[in-house]
Amino acid sequence: MAKLTDPVTILKGVGPTRAKQFANLNIFTLGDLICHFPRGYEDRTQLLPIEKLEVDVPACFRAMVMNTPRTSHIRKGLDITKVQVADHTARLNLTFFNNRFVTEQLQYGREYIFYGAVSGDFIGYNMTNPTFEALDSQPVTTRRVLPIYPLTAGLSNAALLKAVRQALELCDPPAEIIPEPVRQKYGILPAERAYRAIHEPQSMAEAEMAKKRLIFEEFFVFSAGLSLMRASRAGKKTESYVNLDLAPFEAALPFTLTGAQSRAIGDILTDLRRGVPMNRLVQGDVGSGKTMVAAAAAYIAAKNGRQAALMAPTEILAEQHYGSLARLFEPMGITVALLTGSMKPSEKKRVREAIAAGQVDLAVGTHALLSDATRFQNLGLVITDEQHRFGVGQRAKLSAKGSDPHLLVMSATPIPRTLALLMYGDLEVSILDELPPGRESVDTFLVGESYRPRINAFIRKHVAEGHQCFVVCPAVEENEELDIKAATVWAETLQRTVFPELRIALIHGQMKGSEKEAVMASFARGEADVLVATTVIEVGVDVPNATLMVIEDADRFGLSQLHQLRGRVGRGRAKSYCIMTSHSKNQETLLRLKALCRTTDGFKIAEEDLKLRGPGDFFGSRQSGLPTFRVANLSCDLRTLQDAQAASAEWIDAEGTADTPEAIALRERIGELFTRAEGTMN
Ligand code: ADP
Ligand code: MG
């Protein structure tokens, strides 16, 4: 018996070449192979009469070979074999290219099962390169539900299936982690059956059941892990803060806090005085004023003699926070320092020393703040901005710094409430559902290509008024198959032929981190008029002077993503606009985009997005801050997720610390998932 951790090379037929192909798919062990799930299935269980075959729809049928296959040599490298088959309803001509085995395998007068798609032409129906099997053979490519796997160059679906089958013969699938009563209650297949059925289902229905079980399992592990994290933190003690007077802080602000900001800060004060580490998420749409909520928390920490750390996902965002917070805090005698990766080593050293000596009240930085070299004298509060860039694993690592500091995470990703519950199961949530007063919403329009001259004129007008523009493209480079705007090409076109007089800059995800930061910073300083970008600017710096965003081929983006992008403008005093272009003729797509023109409520948009696309997309996109889920990425229904969460909560209450085989296996899996989460994020 082999183990799940054994390397794939112990399988027959898996040598160094194959192993390399597997490695491309992140498959190293038998366990990885068994967890390499199909991305879909082809139902080849039904046999159709030839007469019922539809053009271009692949199907199975049983037919007799009506003549001896004949091969003609057309030219070097091209042999064509023709044969006619028939059933009681019709005849069909088959054509095979360069397949010299056909002549040996297909025998006149015998019946076979074929799978293929007919193509119609003026001479009649024909079928090219069908697969076929003898009636008495073991079904491999016909008469079954065929799993279709994510593949890599050189590795065929059949080869992969064969390897998976071997692996499942050699070792048991991952251990059961869901207790029997839970499985019964939620109608979940046992592990053993699900892991086998996902690869070799007897029917499409069984494939669905297997998928449901595996999605359930994945979320069960994830939510149980979050629950355990929460339970362990809830059991910890920390000093309660007693100085909770915010009046001087509020007096120093150039504006009055919004109701939502006050409520969130109220939640935080309650947390801070409880004597248990805070674990709170502040979620608010772009521009809702999360920074001030964070600042209030940092202020209270400082007033209670504790240091605070504020982590941002990019250097430039860190610098921006540093600038505004230093301006606010220094006059109150609260020291703010900046620590980022690109600072000179000597400078970093100096800042780290000051932090270690307790001379810094609030340290603002990137993940340099997380490195072991940074030691705090008495870290009381950790704040992460734009939380979705930080994974669960990092959340855990953060709180391990200092003695259980309070944790405040801030996120602008408008995640639907239903999903937020799931993703942030270990956090309490405060929502900023109100924008500061006087903020004008970004007027959004959806237009077709005929508006191009007007768009160009609009860009010119904004620049002439001293403002800046973003132009967002769905791709970095040109792609022959897809007729969509590529940032690199479009930037050049704009510069050369449309706006030779304007300063056009380019930023995209394939650039190095430092390059991106440099471009962003230069744009923020006003050194370019138009920034052509991909979605990398989704989370970014405040450029209040940018008042126009053009989103090309908007139908290529998700609604939430469009909303997030749009949040890059409308951050200053001037009226801002967002223009989306689309070639799409699909009414549904256009309606979806038009919805965005009407509403500016990120949560509503997110719910809409969720309804339209299903949760798979939320989990699929790396921005979610979640570990990469294996099955859930495919497609899943919300119901299964919610069930899994409810089940894991019940389980934690009932036997979270028990030593049943399921409980032990589950805790192991939680450990693995969270370690993986740490590895894949950032
Ligand atoms: P986000 O939630 O996107 O992080 P910010 O914290 O960056 O939002 O705030 C956006 C802008 O709104 C900033 O320029 C900030 O100074 C301003 N702001 C924040 N709170 C208020 C308020 N209560 N009244 C007026 N302006 C505010
Ligand atoms: Mg912010």
Side-chain angles (χ1 to χ4, degrees):
M1 204 68 193
K3 292 194 302 292
L4 286 169
T5 48
D6 286 341
V8 282
T9 44
I10 72 163
L11 296 176
K12 261 194 299 189
V14 179
T17 317
R18 191 69 356 131
K20 220 168 174 180
Q21 293 163 350
F22 280 139
N24 282 342
L25 295 168
N26 276 323
I27 299 171
F28 303 96
T29 64
L30 298 188
D32 294 337
L33 195 53
I34 290 172
C35 290
H36 187 69
F37 301 126
R39 59 178 167 76
Y41 298 89
E42 274 176 23
D43 188 353
R44 302 185 177 184
T45 52
Q46 302 281 0
L47 295 185
L48 290 183
I50 291 179
E51 192 181 64
K52 289 272 157 55
L53 295 176
E54 282 176 56
V55 171
D56 290 341
V57 181
C60 274
F61 58 98
R62 174 178 171 162
M64 184 181 283
V65 174
M66 303 305 286
N67 57 12
T68 304
R70 269 227 294 271
T71 301
S72 11
H73 183 72
I74 304 293
R75 59 176 153 79
K76 193 161 183 282
L78 182 61
D79 288 335
I80 290 185
T81 308
K82 285 185 178 287
V83 63
Q84 191 177 64
V85 300
D87 66 4
H88 64 284
T89 64
R91 289 169 175 257
L92 184 64
N93 293 318
L94 307 184
T95 308
F96 295 88
F97 291 104
N98 294 335
N99 188 342
R100 54 204 162 80
F101 301 110
V102 172
T103 7
E104 295 153 32
Q105 288 169 332
L106 286 181
Q107 287 171 24
Y108 173 51
R110 291 189 64 168
E111 283 187 292
Y112 299 83
I113 308 289
F114 295 87
Y115 178 82
V118 282
S119 49
D121 57 31
F122 64 100
I123 315 175
Y125 289 124
N126 185 23
M127 183 177 285
T128 309
N129 292 334
T131 58
F132 58 88
E133 290 174 326
L135 280 183
D136 56 358
S137 68
Q138 205 211 341
V140 178
T141 58
T142 69
R143 293 161 292 162
R144 60 171 292 171
V145 175
L146 187 75
I148 307 296
Y149 291 97
L151 298 172
T152 184
L155 186 66
S156 72
N157 199 58
L160 193 84
L161 178 58
K162 223 165 114 191
V164 171
R165 190 183 271 173
Q166 237 194 97
L168 279 169
E169 270 163 23
L170 284 178
C171 63
D172 287 328
E176 181 60 85
I177 53 161
I178 305 175
E180 161 87 42
V182 175
R183 291 201 310 262
Q184 294 235 339
K185 179 167 173 189
Y186 295 98
I188 296 299
L189 290 183
E192 166 90 31
R193 167 118 186 259
Y195 277 101
R196 291 186 189 282
I198 194 88
H199 296 294
E200 306 215 58
Q202 296 300 310
S203 63
M204 291 301 268
E206 200 192 24
E208 276 310 309
M209 287 296 288
K211 200 163 107 187
K212 177 176 167 189
R213 143 84 206 204
L214 295 170
I215 291 172
F216 188 96
E217 168 176 329
E218 220 165 23
F219 277 92
F220 187 78
V221 174
F222 180 66
S223 323
L226 291 186
S227 304
L228 281 182
M229 234 160 88
R230 168 149 74 181
S232 94
R233 284 176 66 88
K236 294 200 169 125
K237 293 260 173 299
T238 167
E239 199 184 318
S240 12
Y241 290 4
V242 289
N243 297 323
L244 300 167
D245 180 18
L246 265 177
F249 171 80
E250 290 192 41
L253 295 180
F255 43 69
T256 329
L257 293 172
T258 64
Q261 282 172 319
S262 296
R263 280 192 297 280
I265 294 170
D267 293 342
I268 291 167
L269 293 184
T270 309
D271 290 345
L272 294 177
R273 77 161 80 90
R274 273 198 346 205
V276 172
M278 169 169 74
N279 241 341
R280 183 166 295 277
L281 166 72
V282 172
Q283 203 174 30
D285 222 337
V286 278
S288 57
K290 291 182 291 293
T291 318
M292 280 309 130
V293 175
Y299 175 84
I300 295 296
K303 287 295 158 190
N304 287 272
R306 294 310 192 97
Q307 290 173 295
L310 169 60
M311 300 220 311
T314 63
E315 302 220 336
I316 176 148
L317 209 54
E319 277 161 27
Q320 189 160 338
H321 280 323
Y322 169 73
S324 55
L325 293 173
R327 218 174 309 128
L328 174 69
F329 280 141
E330 300 285 351
M332 301 183 214
I334 294 175
T335 328
V336 186
L338 176 69
L339 184 67
T340 63
S342 70
M343 281 163 48
K344 279 200 223 90
S346 59
E347 235 178 305
K348 268 193 270 198
K349 183 156 172 282
R350 190 180 52 73
V351 174
R352 286 202 165 111
E353 277 166 10
I355 293 174
Q359 290 153 1
V360 171
D361 298 309
L362 171 60
V364 180
T366 50
H367 32 264
L369 278 180
L370 257 186
S371 86
D372 293 333
T374 319
R375 286 187 214 270
F376 288 82
Q377 194 194 44
N378 60 8
L379 182 62
L381 170 69
V382 172
I383 306 165
T384 71
D385 191 17
E386 303 300 356
Q387 140 73 17
H388 57 291
R389 291 292 155 107
F390 293 104
V392 173
Q394 276 168 318
R395 216 139 87 203
K397 183 165 173 188
L398 256 177
S399 34
K401 278 207 150 287
S403 50
D404 289 311
H406 295 291
L407 190 61
L408 182 63
V409 299
M410 304 195 292
S411 173
T413 326
I415 297 150
R417 261 149 256 228
T418 28
L419 286 191
L421 249 183
L422 219 112
M423 299 175 42
Y424 303 122
D426 60 327
L427 303 174
E428 315 283 335
V429 182
S430 300
I431 289 180
L432 297 184
D433 50 5
E434 188 183 343
L435 292 183
R439 189 74 54 79
E440 273 193 83
S441 60
V442 177
D443 281 357
T444 307
F445 304 94
L446 175 65
V447 300
E449 201 46 40
S450 61
Y451 278 71
R452 185 62 61 192
R454 276 196 256 179
I455 296 176
N456 292 343
F458 206 48
I459 291 177
R460 261 191 209 100
K461 173 169 171 279
H462 276 258
V463 174
E465 285 166 3
H467 293 303
Q468 292 163 282
C469 309
F470 291 106
V471 173
V472 183
C473 300
V476 178
E477 274 161 23
E478 217 146 46
N479 180 330
E480 280 176 19
E481 280 158 50
L482 299 171
D483 177 26
I484 53 176
K485 293 235 152 49
T488 45
V489 181
W490 194 233
E492 206 177 312
T493 310
L494 289 182
Q495 182 73 81
R496 281 223 188 132
T497 57
V498 189
F499 304 120
E501 76 282 15
L502 301 187
R503 297 165 302 168
I504 313 261
L506 170 69
I507 189 168
H508 59 73
Q510 285 172 16
M511 289 161 57
K512 274 202 299 245
S514 53
E515 269 178 275
K516 279 188 285 196
E517 303 252 344
V519 173
M520 214 47 227
S522 136
F523 186 66
R525 285 193 300 267
E527 292 164 8
D529 304 308
V530 176
L531 181 60
V532 179
T534 55
T535 52
V536 290
I537 57 160
E538 214 174 327
V539 173
V541 278
D542 228 356
V543 185
N545 192 40
T547 50
L548 172 60
M549 172 171 288
V550 179
I551 305 179
E552 302 288 355
D553 299 304
D555 47 284
R556 294 279 155 185
F557 302 90
L559 286 189
S560 293
Q561 202 172 20
L562 288 169
H563 176 66
Q564 189 83 10
L565 282 168
R566 172 171 68 175
R568 296 287 103 216
V569 292
R571 299 170 88 84
R573 264 179 249 288
K575 176 81 195 154
S576 293
Y577 301 87
C578 174
I579 298 175
M580 303 186 286
T581 74
S582 172
H583 297 13
S584 178
K585 301 261 182 304
N586 184 321
Q587 279 310 312
E588 226 171 278
T589 305
L590 296 174
L591 274 179
R592 202 162 60 94
L593 293 175
K594 277 187 190 137
L596 208 68
C597 303
R598 283 193 308 272
T599 177
T600 50
D601 180 335
F603 288 100
K604 263 200 208 128
I605 291 166
E607 294 283 357
E608 190 62 24
D609 216 9
L610 181 65
K611 252 192 279 161
L612 286 166
R613 303 194 302 164
D617 275 303
F618 274 91
F619 299 125
S621 62
R622 279 199 58 213
Q623 61 156 319
S624 65
L626 289 168
T628 38
F629 290 108
R630 286 184 162 126
V631 215
N633 289 351
L634 296 179
S635 75
C636 51
D637 61 301
L638 206 51
R639 188 55 204 272
T640 307
L641 306 188
Q642 284 165 335
D643 281 356
Q645 200 193 13
S648 83
E650 288 159 25
W651 176 84
I652 293 285
D653 285 345
E655 54 173 323
T657 51
D659 276 336
T660 59
E662 284 99 352
I664 294 170
L666 176 60
R667 284 198 295 268
E668 237 168 66
R669 286 280 293 281
I670 291 171
E672 282 165 26
L673 179 71
F674 282 19
T675 324
R676 201 167 80 210
E678 196 175 334
T680 52
M681 300 312 300
N682 274 307

